[in-house]
Amino acid sequence: MSDATLHDAHRDPDDFAVQIADQIESFIVAVAEVAKGDEPDSAVPFLLLEVSQLLLAGGRLGAHEDIVPDERYEPDVGPEPDVDELRERFAVLLDPVDVYSEVFDPYVARSSTVACRISDDLADIVTDLRHGMAHYREGRVSEALWWWQFSYLSNWGPTASAALRALQSLVAHVRLDSPLDELDGFDTDSDADGDEELAEQAGKVMAAEIAAPLGLRAASQP
């Protein structure tokens, strides 16, 4: 399916797949426009709006029954588009508020905070969304929906939720005239031990959340 037919007039605007694809494409286009830096003063409020709207699509995907693709194995979509330029543009545009602290899993008791970057979050989200869009544009609608649903639950949903909290906090600090506390050297590459702990937690969460839907059994505990 080419770009020209992505919004074919014969496609039902009330169709679930069409609505989800429209919201996702709108986010991808809008984020690319913000990254150009033409209106830096409105970047954070605009990103707050766009991420909020994207998470509405994500919520609909999460609440939807499990989507099963038509093909057993995922067709190759070719090389992933490079998002490094997008990431770097946002790192410059959002400096010095790019880095924020986040709790990886609110259901893990006494979880320590980890450092994240809004620029990394946006680039990772766009990567996931583009992957599904590649299937959608080729007419593999069920594959696109499966990918968007799966990656919402496992990656871009938590990432977008964390970024939304950071963006909302930034807007609140500005509107309520509440100065930001300095992060005092807090950075995404400052704690190697924290990275190892984060990776371990991520593995446990993914095993718990996606093993059953994929028909896998969790590894037995010692």
Side-chain angles (χ1 to χ4, degrees), residues 104-105 108 111 114 192-208 221-222:
F104 178 71
D105 187 344
V108 174
S111 294
V114 295
D193 293 335
D195 288 344
E196 292 178 1
E197 180 182 356
L198 177 61
E200 181 179 355
Q201 290 179 358
K204 291 179 179 177
V205 171
M206 289 190 69
Q221 298 297 321

Side-chain angles (χ1 to χ4, degrees), residues 7 13 18-19 48-49 53 59 68 84 94 99 101 124 127 147 151 172 177 207 210 215:
H7 301 292
V18 173
Q19 292 177 356
L48 175 66
L49 176 62
Q53 292 177 334
V68 180
D84 284 345
L94 298 173
V99 178
S101 60
D124 291 346
T127 297
W147 172 258
S151 57
D177 195 22
I210 70 175

Side-chain angles (χ1 to χ4, degrees), residues 70-90:
D70 294 332
E71 300 182 44
R72 182 176 181 182
Y73 299 104
E74 181 184 8
D76 184 18
V77 295
E80 298 286 355
D82 189 5
V83 294
D84 284 345
E85 182 180 356
L86 183 75
R87 188 193 316 272
E88 292 167 2
R89 283 179 176 272
F90 274 120

Side-chain angles (χ1 to χ4, degrees), residues 42-125:
S42 61
V44 169
F46 198 80
L47 288 172
L48 175 66
L49 176 62
E50 291 300 325
V51 176
S52 297
Q53 292 177 334
L54 175 67
L55 282 170
L56 173 59
R60 296 182 66 193
L61 287 164
H64 199 281
E65 62 185 11
D66 288 347
I67 297 167
V68 180
D70 294 332
E71 300 182 44
R72 182 176 181 182
Y73 299 104
E74 181 184 8
D76 184 18
V77 295
E80 298 286 355
D82 189 5
V83 294
D84 284 345
E85 182 180 356
L86 183 75
R87 188 193 316 272
E88 292 167 2
R89 283 179 176 272
F90 274 120
V92 173
L93 183 63
L94 298 173
D95 183 58
V97 296
D98 192 20
V99 178
Y100 67 96
S101 60
E102 169 67 4
V103 175
F104 178 71
D105 187 344
Y107 282 98
V108 174
R110 296 180 296 280
S111 294
S112 58
T113 59
V114 295
C116 302
R117 290 180 181 273
I118 299 175
S119 56
D120 288 341
D121 293 345
L122 294 171
D124 291 346
I125 294 166

Side-chain angles (χ1 to χ4, degrees), residues 3 55 78 86 154 178 181:
D3 290 343
L55 282 170
L86 183 75
S154 62
S178 174
D181 293 330

